[in-house]
């Protein structure tokens, strides 16, 4: 069976089931691997290039911090501050 194409909303689903205290934490990658020139974040997982690069080498607390960064970025995109 073929897997359906990934959508940016898939990250929201992954976040909704995420247990930030779990070990090991799942990778945030959802298979949409493009860096947005405006934000410098991956369009799929919302990580920076540096976060993507270090994911395999960091320990659990480092991965938790990356997930916290992702969650904060998603929230900021949903509720941008009006100035």
């Amino acid at each position: 069976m073929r897997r359906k194409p990934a959508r940016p909303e898939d990250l929201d689903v992954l976040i909704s089931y995420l247990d930030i205290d779990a070990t090991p934490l799942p990778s945030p990658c959802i298979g949409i691997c493009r860096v947005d020139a405006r934000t410098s974040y991956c369009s799929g997982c919302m990580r920076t290039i540096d976060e993507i690069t270090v994911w395999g080498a960091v320990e659990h607390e480092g991965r938790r911090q990356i997930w916290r960064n992702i969650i904060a970025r998603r929230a900021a995109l949903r509720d941008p501050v009006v100035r």
Side-chain angles (χ1 to χ4, degrees):
M1 178 165 50
R2 292 185 68 176
R3 185 175 172 208
K4 68 178 183 171
R7 303 164 303 151
E9 297 82 21
D10 293 344
L11 182 61
D12 295 326
V13 173
L14 187 56
I15 289 170
S16 73
Y17 288 102
L18 181 67
D19 176 1
I20 199 76
D21 296 317
T23 303
L25 281 167
S27 169
C29 181
I30 60 168
I32 301 174
C33 304
R34 290 185 301 268
V35 175
D36 184 316
R38 280 181 313 110
T39 64
S40 298
Y41 304 139
C42 173
S43 296
C45 68
M46 300 296 296
R47 288 182 289 177
T48 65
I49 290 294
D50 289 340
E51 290 169 339
I52 292 168
T53 302
V54 301
W55 181 263
V58 296
E59 295 295 325
H60 303 299
E61 193 51 44
R63 290 181 178 194
R64 281 186 189 90
Q65 186 57 53
I66 291 171
W67 266 111
R68 287 182 193 108
N69 295 345
I70 292 167
I71 292 166
R73 289 174 192 142
R74 291 298 283 178
L77 285 175
R78 289 194 189 307
D79 302 316
V81 175
V82 178
R83 297 180 193 261

